Amino acid sequence: MVKKYDIAIIGAGAAGLTAAFTGAGFSKSVVLIDKNLPGGECTWSGCIPSKSLINIAKEVHHAKKYTPHLEVDTSVVLKDIQDVIQKVYAGESPDVLKKSGIDFINGYAKFVGPHAVEVDGERIEAKKIILSTGSSPMVPPIDGLDSVSYLTNETIFTQKSFPKTMTILGGGAIGVELSQALNRIGVKVTLVEKFERILPKDEEELVLMIQQRLIEEGVTIHTGATAIKAEQNGGQINLKIEKDGKQMTVSSEGLLVALGRQANVKGYNLEGVGIEFDSKSIQVDDHLETTAKGIYAIGDVVGPYQLSHMANAQGITATQNAILPINRKMYYEHVTWCTYTDPELGRSGMSEEEAREKYGDSIRIYEHDYADIDRANTKKDSIGKVKIILDKKGYILGASILGDRAGEIISQIQTIKSLHINMGKLSGVIHPYPTYSEVLVKIGKKVYVDNLLNQPVVKTFNKAKAGELPAGKMAGYGVAAAAGIGIANMAIKNNVKPKLGVENGRLKKMPSTPNAVSSQSIPRDKYVPALPYNGSKSDAKKNLIGMLKGYEGVEIIQNDESYVYAVATSKKMKFKDDIEFYFNDAAQWIEFRSASRVGYSDAGVNRKRYEEMKNRYDNISRHTRNS
């Protein structure tokens, strides 16, 4: 018997599940095949159990501050972790898949034709096939390693309890996360890494901070060390390592091998259908199609980033390409990840080294310590730092964050980067206080000022002011440059709020800028009528605030009982205009004033803004009365 489908997916991990649900969402017949239960490495031996352990370890660590002699029963810890795994699996079980219109077959799949696989003697045919076979722990050919009872991430969480001592081979994300977590629940940990520092793909300065934190907590770390031999000695595993030309032996009850992943490419008869691959990955094009037409590959078996969220993105892209007539490319420009140590280490885009290699010294670096964040200071012994790399115009090239909630904050960076929003725009976004994400606003304000100072007209002014611009060259700029210098002179102070507000029951004296307008002006060329209440004061206030909130480029700064102050920011030069409203109860009207901080003509923008605001306010008032 032959079963036929629109899409057959081999591998039910993060990538395969995403592909299956995407295909079903397009009303396609989908079969998902895996030799194991759905969920893959992420659910059973990766993200879910490791983060569960990290959370438990964090609770224990904080408890030990107040109960120093606290002992942990690791068998209970492992039972709790298994409970979490089962809870997650309940949302991706075969029954759940079936309800979503996805058939699940538990078995080994092997290609028997370009569009056909065989599973336990049954032939499955599909118009399109997607490979998401995942990866397995890479175990190097260390002398004697195959003769010892070593652990990997696939077996460590299946133990009845954790050993009292553990050697962890590998200082990548898995090794570092588990080093700290196991140490915190009472396991004596020794970490061995061949590179000169742990987490070699992350920013060195931040990595050294987390490395020092692990050492202070009790983790023994050997960097620049290579494992050369392993042997079992009763209940102990001896690992001989070489460091600085000298050999030493590390002994522990347990040995965890965490040296990266290798692609699962064997046993599927990939070569029989023309799929090119090697030990690291299956070869795909920009659309995630393999060298065999109509067969796609996604997730860890493809890379280049073996991350669950990247696997999900690939799953959506490949499935849409398999279904739709227009193909989408898979881009890796906006890669991001987080290492869930305590504190967390988040990364988005390029490192400083990578950015300098591509863009040279034109990049801009902004840093901010967690010590200068009020929320961080509410926690004892909080460490952290934010580092953001921008191009010369202020757009994000990359960022690294070490600190509490780094994974959440880096997500905000990732959003700004992916949507190509200038970092300076964050200066005007209001964040809750006190929060860790407030650090981005602080950096955004610095970027905003630097963006302004990098404007050509401002740079010209600064050069002239410093005497760096020859008089002859200055004359070449003509009238426009001369006027520009005047604008720049005031624009440099454009972030300083002028002395505005109410005095003696009226708005303060109007600034002398030529383009200001006011309902209190005596000169007719600056006069505009006050806005009528059109009802009670509370109605007028409500209507006015509604009008301002719907106005692009205007931010309400102050909202008192009888006074409202807002700022309008221009799109191009980011110049600011101050807008004020005073509720004169005696006259039953709202006095108005709008004045630019830069004292030169702006083509009557303040008068135009008044007319627009008056019309919007009148329309809202009319609608309110009618309703």
Side-chain angles (χ1 to χ4, degrees), residues 280-312:
K280 295 182 179 180
S281 65
I282 291 175
Q283 182 179 324
V284 295
D285 62 14
D286 291 341
H287 306 114
L288 299 171
E289 189 171 20
T290 68
T291 49
K293 188 172 179 59
I295 301 177
Y296 298 78
I298 55 177
D300 280 9
V301 76
V302 172
Y305 300 98
Q306 294 178 328
L307 302 164
S308 293
H309 49 277
M310 296 303 290
N312 291 333

PDB file of all heavy atoms in Angstrom, residues 280-312:
ATOM      1  N   LYS A 280      29.062  17.831   8.085  1.00  0.00           N
ATOM      2  CA  LYS A 280      28.608  19.030   8.791  1.00  0.00           C
ATOM      3  C   LYS A 280      27.194  19.451   8.422  1.00  0.00           C
ATOM      4  O   LYS A 280      26.470  19.997   9.257  1.00  0.00           O
ATOM      5  CB  LYS A 280      29.571  20.191   8.511  1.00  0.00           C
ATOM      6  CG  LYS A 280      30.965  19.973   9.065  1.00  0.00           C
ATOM      7  CD  LYS A 280      31.847  21.176   8.787  1.00  0.00           C
ATOM      8  CE  LYS A 280      33.245  20.977   9.373  1.00  0.00           C
ATOM      9  NZ  LYS A 280      34.125  22.137   9.107  1.00  0.00           N
ATOM     10  N   SER A 281      26.792  19.214   7.160  1.00  0.00           N
ATOM     11  CA  SER A 281      25.478  19.701   6.744  1.00  0.00           C
ATOM     12  C   SER A 281      25.057  19.142   5.396  1.00  0.00           C
ATOM     13  O   SER A 281      25.880  18.623   4.637  1.00  0.00           O
ATOM     14  CB  SER A 281      25.468  21.235   6.661  1.00  0.00           C
ATOM     15  OG  SER A 281      26.352  21.665   5.636  1.00  0.00           O
ATOM     16  N   ILE A 282      23.748  19.271   5.125  1.00  0.00           N
ATOM     17  CA  ILE A 282      23.208  19.000   3.793  1.00  0.00           C
ATOM     18  C   ILE A 282      23.310  20.290   2.989  1.00  0.00           C
ATOM     19  O   ILE A 282      23.002  21.372   3.484  1.00  0.00           O
ATOM     20  CB  ILE A 282      21.734  18.545   3.885  1.00  0.00           C
ATOM     21  CG1 ILE A 282      21.648  17.161   4.537  1.00  0.00           C
ATOM     22  CG2 ILE A 282      21.080  18.509   2.506  1.00  0.00           C
ATOM     23  CD1 ILE A 282      20.225  16.679   4.772  1.00  0.00           C
ATOM     24  N   GLN A 283      23.720  20.188   1.749  1.00  0.00           N
ATOM     25  CA  GLN A 283      23.888  21.370   0.895  1.00  0.00           C
ATOM     26  C   GLN A 283      22.531  21.864   0.404  1.00  0.00           C
ATOM     27  O   GLN A 283      21.736  21.104  -0.139  1.00  0.00           O
ATOM     28  CB  GLN A 283      24.775  21.024  -0.305  1.00  0.00           C
ATOM     29  CG  GLN A 283      25.049  22.210  -1.229  1.00  0.00           C
ATOM     30  CD  GLN A 283      25.939  21.830  -2.387  1.00  0.00           C
ATOM     31  OE1 GLN A 283      26.845  21.011  -2.235  1.00  0.00           O
ATOM     32  NE2 GLN A 283      25.695  22.409  -3.546  1.00  0.00           N
ATOM     33  N   VAL A 284      22.269  23.165   0.613  1.00  0.00           N
ATOM     34  CA  VAL A 284      21.028  23.788   0.141  1.00  0.00           C
ATOM     35  C   VAL A 284      21.345  25.108  -0.537  1.00  0.00           C
ATOM     36  O   VAL A 284      22.413  25.693  -0.320  1.00  0.00           O
ATOM     37  CB  VAL A 284      20.023  24.027   1.290  1.00  0.00           C
ATOM     38  CG1 VAL A 284      19.537  22.722   1.886  1.00  0.00           C
ATOM     39  CG2 VAL A 284      20.638  24.928   2.370  1.00  0.00           C
ATOM     40  N   ASP A 285      20.393  25.612  -1.340  1.00  0.00           N
ATOM     41  CA  ASP A 285      20.558  26.929  -1.954  1.00  0.00           C
ATOM     42  C   ASP A 285      19.922  27.993  -1.067  1.00  0.00           C
ATOM     43  O   ASP A 285      19.523  27.717   0.070  1.00  0.00           O
ATOM     44  CB  ASP A 285      19.973  26.943  -3.373  1.00  0.00           C
ATOM     45  CG  ASP A 285      18.467  26.667  -3.402  1.00  0.00           C
ATOM     46  OD1 ASP A 285      17.817  26.730  -2.327  1.00  0.00           O
ATOM     47  OD2 ASP A 285      17.942  26.387  -4.492  1.00  0.00           O
ATOM     48  N   ASP A 286      19.817  29.205  -1.585  1.00  0.00           N
ATOM     49  CA  ASP A 286      19.260  30.317  -0.798  1.00  0.00           C
ATOM     50  C   ASP A 286      17.807  30.090  -0.410  1.00  0.00           C
ATOM     51  O   ASP A 286      17.287  30.734   0.503  1.00  0.00           O
ATOM     52  CB  ASP A 286      19.374  31.630  -1.575  1.00  0.00           C
ATOM     53  CG  ASP A 286      20.810  32.096  -1.709  1.00  0.00           C
ATOM     54  OD1 ASP A 286      21.657  31.630  -0.921  1.00  0.00           O
ATOM     55  OD2 ASP A 286      21.088  32.914  -2.606  1.00  0.00           O
ATOM     56  N   HIS A 287      17.117  29.184  -1.140  1.00  0.00           N
ATOM     57  CA  HIS A 287      15.703  28.923  -0.859  1.00  0.00           C
ATOM     58  C   HIS A 287      15.520  27.665  -0.021  1.00  0.00           C
ATOM     59  O   HIS A 287      14.398  27.185   0.148  1.00  0.00           O
ATOM     60  CB  HIS A 287      14.932  28.788  -2.175  1.00  0.00           C
ATOM     61  CG  HIS A 287      15.128  29.956  -3.093  1.00  0.00           C
ATOM     62  ND1 HIS A 287      15.775  29.846  -4.312  1.00  0.00           N
ATOM     63  CD2 HIS A 287      14.807  31.270  -2.958  1.00  0.00           C
ATOM     64  CE1 HIS A 287      15.824  31.035  -4.894  1.00  0.00           C
ATOM     65  NE2 HIS A 287      15.242  31.906  -4.090  1.00  0.00           N
ATOM     66  N   LEU A 288      16.638  27.098   0.476  1.00  0.00           N
ATOM     67  CA  LEU A 288      16.667  25.902   1.308  1.00  0.00           C
ATOM     68  C   LEU A 288      16.310  24.625   0.547  1.00  0.00           C
ATOM     69  O   LEU A 288      15.945  23.611   1.145  1.00  0.00           O
ATOM     70  CB  LEU A 288      15.740  26.066   2.534  1.00  0.00           C
ATOM     71  CG  LEU A 288      16.125  27.211   3.464  1.00  0.00           C
ATOM     72  CD1 LEU A 288      15.049  27.448   4.517  1.00  0.00           C
ATOM     73  CD2 LEU A 288      17.466  26.924   4.149  1.00  0.00           C
ATOM     74  N   GLU A 289      16.442  24.659  -0.789  1.00  0.00           N
ATOM     75  CA  GLU A 289      16.223  23.462  -1.593  1.00  0.00           C
ATOM     76  C   GLU A 289      17.562  22.736  -1.765  1.00  0.00           C
ATOM     77  O   GLU A 289      18.595  23.362  -2.002  1.00  0.00           O
ATOM     78  CB  GLU A 289      15.637  23.823  -2.958  1.00  0.00           C
ATOM     79  CG  GLU A 289      15.173  22.605  -3.752  1.00  0.00           C
ATOM     80  CD  GLU A 289      14.401  22.999  -5.008  1.00  0.00           C
ATOM     81  OE1 GLU A 289      14.547  24.158  -5.454  1.00  0.00           O
ATOM     82  OE2 GLU A 289      13.647  22.164  -5.529  1.00  0.00           O
ATOM     83  N   THR A 290      17.551  21.416  -1.646  1.00  0.00           N
ATOM     84  CA  THR A 290      18.770  20.625  -1.792  1.00  0.00           C
ATOM     85  C   THR A 290      19.136  20.511  -3.265  1.00  0.00           C
ATOM     86  O   THR A 290      18.465  21.075  -4.135  1.00  0.00           O
ATOM     87  CB  THR A 290      18.577  19.218  -1.196  1.00  0.00           C
ATOM     88  OG1 THR A 290      17.642  18.494  -2.009  1.00  0.00           O
ATOM     89  CG2 THR A 290      18.057  19.297   0.238  1.00  0.00           C
ATOM     90  N   THR A 291      20.171  19.749  -3.533  1.00  0.00           N
ATOM     91  CA  THR A 291      20.582  19.524  -4.928  1.00  0.00           C
ATOM     92  C   THR A 291      19.621  18.594  -5.653  1.00  0.00           C
ATOM     93  O   THR A 291      19.765  18.379  -6.865  1.00  0.00           O
ATOM     94  CB  THR A 291      22.003  18.932  -4.967  1.00  0.00           C
ATOM     95  OG1 THR A 291      22.085  17.818  -4.062  1.00  0.00           O
ATOM     96  CG2 THR A 291      23.039  19.983  -4.551  1.00  0.00           C
ATOM     97  N   ALA A 292      18.660  18.027  -4.937  1.00  0.00           N
ATOM     98  CA  ALA A 292      17.599  17.225  -5.563  1.00  0.00           C
ATOM     99  C   ALA A 292      16.335  18.080  -5.618  1.00  0.00           C
ATOM    100  O   ALA A 292      15.830  18.524  -4.576  1.00  0.00           O
ATOM    101  CB  ALA A 292      17.339  15.952  -4.761  1.00  0.00           C
ATOM    102  N   LYS A 293      15.835  18.336  -6.792  1.00  0.00           N
ATOM    103  CA  LYS A 293      14.687  19.231  -6.969  1.00  0.00           C
ATOM    104  C   LYS A 293      13.469  18.719  -6.196  1.00  0.00           C
ATOM    105  O   LYS A 293      13.126  17.544  -6.240  1.00  0.00           O
ATOM    106  CB  LYS A 293      14.343  19.366  -8.450  1.00  0.00           C
ATOM    107  CG  LYS A 293      13.291  20.430  -8.744  1.00  0.00           C
ATOM    108  CD  LYS A 293      13.147  20.650 -10.231  1.00  0.00           C
ATOM    109  CE  LYS A 293      12.068  21.690 -10.545  1.00  0.00           C
ATOM    110  NZ  LYS A 293      12.370  22.993  -9.926  1.00  0.00           N
ATOM    111  N   GLY A 294      12.817  19.637  -5.497  1.00  0.00           N
ATOM    112  CA  GLY A 294      11.613  19.290  -4.751  1.00  0.00           C
ATOM    113  C   GLY A 294      11.874  18.745  -3.365  1.00  0.00           C
ATOM    114  O   GLY A 294      10.939  18.449  -2.618  1.00  0.00           O
ATOM    115  N   ILE A 295      13.155  18.642  -2.983  1.00  0.00           N
ATOM    116  CA  ILE A 295      13.512  18.184  -1.639  1.00  0.00           C
ATOM    117  C   ILE A 295      14.247  19.321  -0.921  1.00  0.00           C
ATOM    118  O   ILE A 295      15.238  19.850  -1.427  1.00  0.00           O
ATOM    119  CB  ILE A 295      14.395  16.924  -1.683  1.00  0.00           C
ATOM    120  CG1 ILE A 295      13.666  15.792  -2.418  1.00  0.00           C
ATOM    121  CG2 ILE A 295      14.766  16.481  -0.268  1.00  0.00           C
ATOM    122  CD1 ILE A 295      14.493  14.540  -2.578  1.00  0.00           C
ATOM    123  N   TYR A 296      13.764  19.688   0.240  1.00  0.00           N
ATOM    124  CA  TYR A 296      14.309  20.803   1.013  1.00  0.00           C
ATOM    125  C   TYR A 296      14.940  20.276   2.302  1.00  0.00           C
ATOM    126  O   TYR A 296      14.650  19.164   2.745  1.00  0.00           O
ATOM    127  CB  TYR A 296      13.212  21.820   1.347  1.00  0.00           C
ATOM    128  CG  TYR A 296      12.583  22.444   0.123  1.00  0.00           C
ATOM    129  CD1 TYR A 296      11.634  21.754  -0.631  1.00  0.00           C
ATOM    130  CD2 TYR A 296      12.944  23.723  -0.289  1.00  0.00           C
ATOM    131  CE1 TYR A 296      11.059  22.320  -1.763  1.00  0.00           C
ATOM    132  CE2 TYR A 296      12.374  24.300  -1.423  1.00  0.00           C
ATOM    133  CZ  TYR A 296      11.433  23.586  -2.152  1.00  0.00           C
ATOM    134  OH  TYR A 296      10.873  24.160  -3.275  1.00  0.00           O
ATOM    135  N   ALA A 297      15.781  21.091   2.924  1.00  0.00           N
ATOM    136  CA  ALA A 297      16.395  20.721   4.197  1.00  0.00           C
ATOM    137  C   ALA A 297      16.450  21.944   5.104  1.00  0.00           C
ATOM    138  O   ALA A 297      16.716  23.065   4.644  1.00  0.00           O
ATOM    139  CB  ALA A 297      17.796  20.152   3.980  1.00  0.00           C
ATOM    140  N   ILE A 298      16.196  21.707   6.392  1.00  0.00           N
ATOM    141  CA  ILE A 298      16.094  22.809   7.353  1.00  0.00           C
ATOM    142  C   ILE A 298      16.645  22.377   8.717  1.00  0.00           C
ATOM    143  O   ILE A 298      16.825  21.197   8.985  1.00  0.00           O
ATOM    144  CB  ILE A 298      14.621  23.253   7.530  1.00  0.00           C
ATOM    145  CG1 ILE A 298      13.739  22.061   7.928  1.00  0.00           C
ATOM    146  CG2 ILE A 298      14.088  23.897   6.271  1.00  0.00           C
ATOM    147  CD1 ILE A 298      12.291  22.395   8.195  1.00  0.00           C
ATOM    148  N   GLY A 299      16.889  23.357   9.574  1.00  0.00           N
ATOM    149  CA  GLY A 299      17.280  23.079  10.950  1.00  0.00           C
ATOM    150  C   GLY A 299      18.752  22.763  11.123  1.00  0.00           C
ATOM    151  O   GLY A 299      19.602  23.145  10.311  1.00  0.00           O
ATOM    152  N   ASP A 300      19.073  22.025  12.191  1.00  0.00           N
ATOM    153  CA  ASP A 300      20.461  21.730  12.531  1.00  0.00           C
ATOM    154  C   ASP A 300      21.208  21.003  11.422  1.00  0.00           C
ATOM    155  O   ASP A 300      22.430  21.146  11.294  1.00  0.00           O
ATOM    156  CB  ASP A 300      20.517  20.877  13.803  1.00  0.00           C
ATOM    157  CG  ASP A 300      20.354  21.698  15.063  1.00  0.00           C
ATOM    158  OD1 ASP A 300      20.033  22.895  14.959  1.00  0.00           O
ATOM    159  OD2 ASP A 300      20.541  21.146  16.164  1.00  0.00           O
ATOM    160  N   VAL A 301      20.492  20.208  10.627  1.00  0.00           N
ATOM    161  CA  VAL A 301      21.154  19.443   9.578  1.00  0.00           C
ATOM    162  C   VAL A 301      21.658  20.340   8.449  1.00  0.00           C
ATOM    163  O   VAL A 301      22.458  19.926   7.616  1.00  0.00           O
ATOM    164  CB  VAL A 301      20.201  18.347   9.021  1.00  0.00           C
ATOM    165  CG1 VAL A 301      19.146  18.954   8.097  1.00  0.00           C
ATOM    166  CG2 VAL A 301      20.977  17.241   8.327  1.00  0.00           C
ATOM    167  N   VAL A 302      21.204  21.597   8.450  1.00  0.00           N
ATOM    168  CA  VAL A 302      21.621  22.577   7.443  1.00  0.00           C
ATOM    169  C   VAL A 302      22.548  23.633   8.039  1.00  0.00           C
ATOM    170  O   VAL A 302      23.547  24.016   7.440  1.00  0.00           O
ATOM    171  CB  VAL A 302      20.377  23.260   6.813  1.00  0.00           C
ATOM    172  CG1 VAL A 302      20.794  24.417   5.921  1.00  0.00           C
ATOM    173  CG2 VAL A 302      19.564  22.254   6.026  1.00  0.00           C
ATOM    174  N   GLY A 303      22.210  24.116   9.252  1.00  0.00           N
ATOM    175  CA  GLY A 303      22.973  25.227   9.810  1.00  0.00           C
ATOM    176  C   GLY A 303      22.601  26.514   9.077  1.00  0.00           C
ATOM    177  O   GLY A 303      21.520  26.604   8.489  1.00  0.00           O
ATOM    178  N   PRO A 304      23.423  27.553   9.041  1.00  0.00           N
ATOM    179  CA  PRO A 304      24.729  27.608   9.684  1.00  0.00           C
ATOM    180  C   PRO A 304      24.660  27.845  11.187  1.00  0.00           C
ATOM    181  O   PRO A 304      25.668  27.795  11.872  1.00  0.00           O
ATOM    182  CB  PRO A 304      25.397  28.795   8.983  1.00  0.00           C
ATOM    183  CG  PRO A 304      24.259  29.697   8.630  1.00  0.00           C
ATOM    184  CD  PRO A 304      23.121  28.790   8.285  1.00  0.00           C
ATOM    185  N   TYR A 305      23.450  28.125  11.697  1.00  0.00           N
ATOM    186  CA  TYR A 305      23.263  28.354  13.128  1.00  0.00           C
ATOM    187  C   TYR A 305      22.353  27.264  13.681  1.00  0.00           C
ATOM    188  O   TYR A 305      21.205  27.125  13.262  1.00  0.00           O
ATOM    189  CB  TYR A 305      22.645  29.734  13.380  1.00  0.00           C
ATOM    190  CG  TYR A 305      23.484  30.870  12.859  1.00  0.00           C
ATOM    191  CD1 TYR A 305      23.199  31.459  11.631  1.00  0.00           C
ATOM    192  CD2 TYR A 305      24.565  31.344  13.582  1.00  0.00           C
ATOM    193  CE1 TYR A 305      23.976  32.504  11.136  1.00  0.00           C
ATOM    194  CE2 TYR A 305      25.351  32.385  13.101  1.00  0.00           C
ATOM    195  CZ  TYR A 305      25.043  32.961  11.877  1.00  0.00           C
ATOM    196  OH  TYR A 305      25.815  33.994  11.401  1.00  0.00           O
ATOM    197  N   GLN A 306      22.880  26.471  14.603  1.00  0.00           N
ATOM    198  CA  GLN A 306      22.095  25.382  15.186  1.00  0.00           C
ATOM    199  C   GLN A 306      21.348  25.914  16.400  1.00  0.00           C
ATOM    200  O   GLN A 306      21.684  25.639  17.547  1.00  0.00           O
ATOM    201  CB  GLN A 306      23.008  24.204  15.520  1.00  0.00           C
ATOM    202  CG  GLN A 306      23.605  23.572  14.261  1.00  0.00           C
ATOM    203  CD  GLN A 306      24.556  22.430  14.553  1.00  0.00           C
ATOM    204  OE1 GLN A 306      25.238  22.417  15.567  1.00  0.00           O
ATOM    205  NE2 GLN A 306      24.612  21.450  13.656  1.00  0.00           N
ATOM    206  N   LEU A 307      20.307  26.670  16.102  1.00  0.00           N
ATOM    207  CA  LEU A 307      19.485  27.331  17.111  1.00  0.00           C
ATOM    208  C   LEU A 307      18.014  27.047  16.804  1.00  0.00           C
ATOM    209  O   LEU A 307      17.604  27.087  15.636  1.00  0.00           O
ATOM    210  CB  LEU A 307      19.729  28.840  17.102  1.00  0.00           C
ATOM    211  CG  LEU A 307      21.178  29.301  17.334  1.00  0.00           C
ATOM    212  CD1 LEU A 307      21.338  30.757  16.916  1.00  0.00           C
ATOM    213  CD2 LEU A 307      21.560  29.120  18.798  1.00  0.00           C
ATOM    214  N   SER A 308      17.223  26.797  17.835  1.00  0.00           N
ATOM    215  CA  SER A 308      15.818  26.439  17.620  1.00  0.00           C
ATOM    216  C   SER A 308      15.052  27.535  16.890  1.00  0.00           C
ATOM    217  O   SER A 308      14.230  27.249  16.014  1.00  0.00           O
ATOM    218  CB  SER A 308      15.143  26.144  18.969  1.00  0.00           C
ATOM    219  OG  SER A 308      15.683  24.979  19.545  1.00  0.00           O
ATOM    220  N   HIS A 309      15.300  28.810  17.246  1.00  0.00           N
ATOM    221  CA  HIS A 309      14.549  29.882  16.599  1.00  0.00           C
ATOM    222  C   HIS A 309      14.949  30.050  15.142  1.00  0.00           C
ATOM    223  O   HIS A 309      14.126  30.445  14.313  1.00  0.00           O
ATOM    224  CB  HIS A 309      14.704  31.206  17.372  1.00  0.00           C
ATOM    225  CG  HIS A 309      16.110  31.566  17.718  1.00  0.00           C
ATOM    226  ND1 HIS A 309      16.757  31.059  18.806  1.00  0.00           N
ATOM    227  CD2 HIS A 309      16.992  32.404  17.121  1.00  0.00           C
ATOM    228  CE1 HIS A 309      17.976  31.569  18.882  1.00  0.00           C
ATOM    229  NE2 HIS A 309      18.144  32.392  17.855  1.00  0.00           N
ATOM    230  N   MET A 310      16.209  29.737  14.805  1.00  0.00           N
ATOM    231  CA  MET A 310      16.606  29.772  13.403  1.00  0.00           C
ATOM    232  C   MET A 310      15.977  28.598  12.654  1.00  0.00           C
ATOM    233  O   MET A 310      15.595  28.716  11.480  1.00  0.00           O
ATOM    234  CB  MET A 310      18.129  29.732  13.279  1.00  0.00           C
ATOM    235  CG  MET A 310      18.834  30.933  13.867  1.00  0.00           C
ATOM    236  SD  MET A 310      18.289  32.518  13.157  1.00  0.00           S
ATOM    237  CE  MET A 310      18.978  32.406  11.506  1.00  0.00           C
ATOM    238  N   ALA A 311      15.870  27.447  13.333  1.00  0.00           N
ATOM    239  CA  ALA A 311      15.214  26.284  12.728  1.00  0.00           C
ATOM    240  C   ALA A 311      13.756  26.594  12.422  1.00  0.00           C
ATOM    241  O   ALA A 311      13.226  26.210  11.373  1.00  0.00           O
ATOM    242  CB  ALA A 311      15.314  25.082  13.671  1.00  0.00           C
ATOM    243  N   ASN A 312      13.091  27.297  13.335  1.00  0.00           N
ATOM    244  CA  ASN A 312      11.694  27.686  13.109  1.00  0.00           C
ATOM    245  C   ASN A 312      11.574  28.586  11.885  1.00  0.00           C
ATOM    246  O   ASN A 312      10.668  28.411  11.054  1.00  0.00           O
ATOM    247  CB  ASN A 312      11.145  28.414  14.343  1.00  0.00           C
ATOM    248  CG  ASN A 312      10.989  27.502  15.538  1.00  0.00           C
ATOM    249  OD1 ASN A 312      10.810  26.299  15.381  1.00  0.00           O
ATOM    250  ND2 ASN A 312      11.071  28.059  16.730  1.00  0.00           N
TER     251      ASN A 312
END
